[in-house]
Amino acid sequence: MDILETDAYDKRQKRNMSCALLLSLLPFFLSTALYFYMWTPDSPASITSAVVKSAPVLLLAATVLSWNGGQSILGVVGGLTFSAMGDCCLIWPELFLHGMGVFAVAHLLYSLAFLSRHYAAYPSSSWKRVLYLILFMVGGCFYIVLYPYLKKDPMSDLLIPAVGIYIALITLMGTLAIRSHRKLTVLGGLIFIVSDISLALQVFKVVLIEQGNTLVMVAYYLAQLLIAVGDIKAMENKNDFSKWKRS
């Protein structure tokens, strides 16, 4: 093949892979639509609600696993699986701390994924350093805002350190997402932070947002989708690079 034929072939391959990826994501889109159709945020806590809420993220985990194999188990697949467990816990208010702990593990696994070899490290630039600083300032200011409300809670002795650790972990995850220099991953990490901030503001009654549950869940599912697709694309690019290197 000459260069033009090779380029045309590569473009066809990428189009075919994009179509295949979109088809493999259909179960996620359908289960997300079912979640909003059933409107589980306002439903009584039940096993059914837990299954419907966690299904989209579990289906994303299955999609990433089918594309990347076992390479993402201790990374994005693991993060998605623990996120689904956290979704189940948050259905029951009394399991809020358990849910936060499970999501903390998910963020650790995402952080490990963003440090792995198929997320190539790019040299740190001035704009990245500014974003890191902004992210840590947002995390610190958010904890300061939450602190008086955490003190009022009957479980304040547990919540005050637990929320502080959680904010540190999600800030780390967002920082490493920015470090990856991949648009989908960066957007996914930052939108996840927005979703968690919106949730915390409502849970601890800092601000009551109309249709707040909808905002939280739209941002949450979008963030998980972007992180999952970003991981698939990162692995795909790594494999393409390996093929070129061998040729």
Side-chain angles (χ1 to χ4, degrees):
M1 287 187 194
D2 60 27
I3 292 174
L4 289 176
E5 287 176 334
T6 302
D7 186 53
Y9 174 78
D10 287 343
K11 285 180 179 176
R12 281 199 303 274
Q13 286 290 93
K14 284 182 179 179
R15 277 199 302 270
N16 290 342
M17 288 186 78
S18 294
C19 290
L21 178 56
L22 185 60
L23 283 173
S24 67
L25 288 169
L26 278 179
F28 164 77
F29 291 120
L30 291 172
S31 60
T32 303
L34 177 64
Y35 170 80
F36 286 109
Y37 175 75
M38 292 183 69
W39 201 243
T40 53
D42 298 325
S43 304
S46 66
I47 297 296
T48 302
S49 296
V51 169
V52 172
K53 186 180 182 183
S54 61
V57 178
L58 280 175
L59 289 167
L60 274 181
T63 301
V64 177
L65 189 62
S66 68
W67 279 79
N68 292 356
Q71 297 177 81
S72 292
I73 288 176
L74 288 176
V76 169
V77 170
L80 289 166
T81 304
F82 272 91
S83 294
M85 291 164 59
D87 288 334
C88 291
C89 290
L90 294 183
I91 289 289
W92 288 273
E94 62 272 21
L95 295 180
F96 178 79
L97 269 172
H98 298 78
M100 189 165 62
V102 174
F103 269 112
V105 176
H107 292 311
L108 274 175
L109 288 169
Y110 286 145
S111 297
L112 286 174
F114 302 155
L115 284 169
S116 65
R117 284 180 298 171
H118 63 275
Y119 286 85
Y122 287 83
S124 190
S125 59
S126 56
W127 70 266
K128 274 190 183 179
R129 293 189 197 102
V130 170
L131 279 178
Y132 296 157
L133 180 61
I134 290 171
L135 210 53
F136 279 102
M137 285 175 65
V138 167
C141 291
F142 183 57
Y143 185 66
I144 290 168
V145 169
L146 278 184
Y147 187 79
Y149 296 89
L150 296 175
K151 283 191 74 174
K152 296 175 187 175
D153 195 281
M155 297 178 68
S156 60
D157 289 347
L158 280 173
L159 276 174
I160 288 172
V163 170
I165 293 167
Y166 185 84
I167 290 173
L169 288 174
I170 196 169
T171 303
L172 174 66
M173 182 276 293
T175 302
L176 293 175
I178 293 169
R179 175 183 174 273
S180 76
H181 208 75
R182 295 186 175 278
K183 290 178 183 176
L184 294 178
T185 303
V186 173
L187 282 172
L190 295 180
I191 292 171
F192 208 135
I193 292 172
V194 170
S195 173
D196 272 6
I197 286 174
S198 302
L199 177 62
L201 289 174
Q202 293 173 87
V203 167
F204 298 112
K205 297 179 173 58
V206 180
V207 178
L208 294 177
I209 306 168
E210 191 175 348
Q211 300 298 321
N213 285 327
T214 307
L215 172 66
V216 168
M217 294 310 297
V218 168
Y220 171 70
Y221 285 137
L222 177 59
Q224 298 283 33
L225 173 64
L226 291 169
I227 289 171
V229 175
D231 196 59
I232 291 168
K233 293 289 185 184
M235 189 65 71
E236 179 186 311
N237 290 344
K238 178 199 169 191
N239 292 337
D240 286 347
F241 177 75
S242 298
K243 283 189 282 185
W244 280 106
K245 200 173 178 182
R246 286 196 298 268
S247 60

